[in-house]
Amino acid sequence: MKIGKDLVAAAATPMVLGILADGESYGYAILQRVGELSGGELEWSDGMLYPLLHRLERVGHVESSWGASPSGRPRKHYRLSASGRAAFAEQRQQWAVVSRALQRVWSDRDGGTDFAGAPAFGGA
């Protein structure tokens, strides 16, 4: 299934903030985590992730520092700032409202069953 571009874009910021809320990470690991969380349905590219990380850093939600990878190559690590944690909490509340509304719409449409026909995602 191809996820629409607008939906992917809308979910990108809360997804990255949520991943970084679990701890510091770096670009490739974030891309891998997005794939795991979506059961492989979301495949982000470097060209999507890094501009988002740079924007989040510019607005102060993310901080970064350079470290070494196991191979010795430099690797940029990202972590949430205090404002990033607040932004994540706010985005989480907003998405919970949207999610509940969609569940009700779909439940009403499907005769009261929750998420009939909705895909199941694997991973943690």
Side-chain angles (χ1 to χ4, degrees):
M1 166 178 39
K2 182 168 174 57
I3 308 295
K5 196 174 181 180
D6 290 343
L7 186 56
V8 171
T13 295
M15 181 77 74
V16 168
L17 293 175
I19 289 169
L20 293 177
D22 289 339
E24 183 175 298
S25 192
Y26 55 94
Y28 181 74
I30 294 170
L31 292 173
Q32 293 293 102
R33 188 71 179 132
V34 168
E36 290 169 12
L37 291 168
S38 68
E41 296 286 342
L42 294 173
E43 294 182 18
W44 290 7
S45 66
D46 292 355
M48 178 182 172
L49 177 63
Y50 288 104
L52 173 59
L53 286 169
H54 295 158
R55 183 178 60 79
L56 292 172
E57 191 171 17
R58 195 172 49 249
V59 299
H61 293 339
V62 168
E63 299 169 338
S64 67
S65 60
W66 286 96
S69 70
S71 69
R73 293 180 53 194
R75 177 185 281 166
K76 197 169 189 178
H77 291 257
Y78 299 90
R79 64 192 161 281
L80 284 187
S81 66
S83 76
R85 291 190 193 293
F88 172 59
E90 184 178 330
Q91 293 242 339
R92 192 172 173 179
Q93 290 176 339
Q94 292 174 9
W95 277 92
V97 170
V98 171
S99 177
R100 279 193 303 271
L102 288 171
Q103 288 176 26
R104 288 183 184 136
V105 167
W106 295 328
S107 179
D108 289 348
R109 181 185 176 140
D110 297 333
T113 57
D114 289 338
F115 287 103
F121 292 113

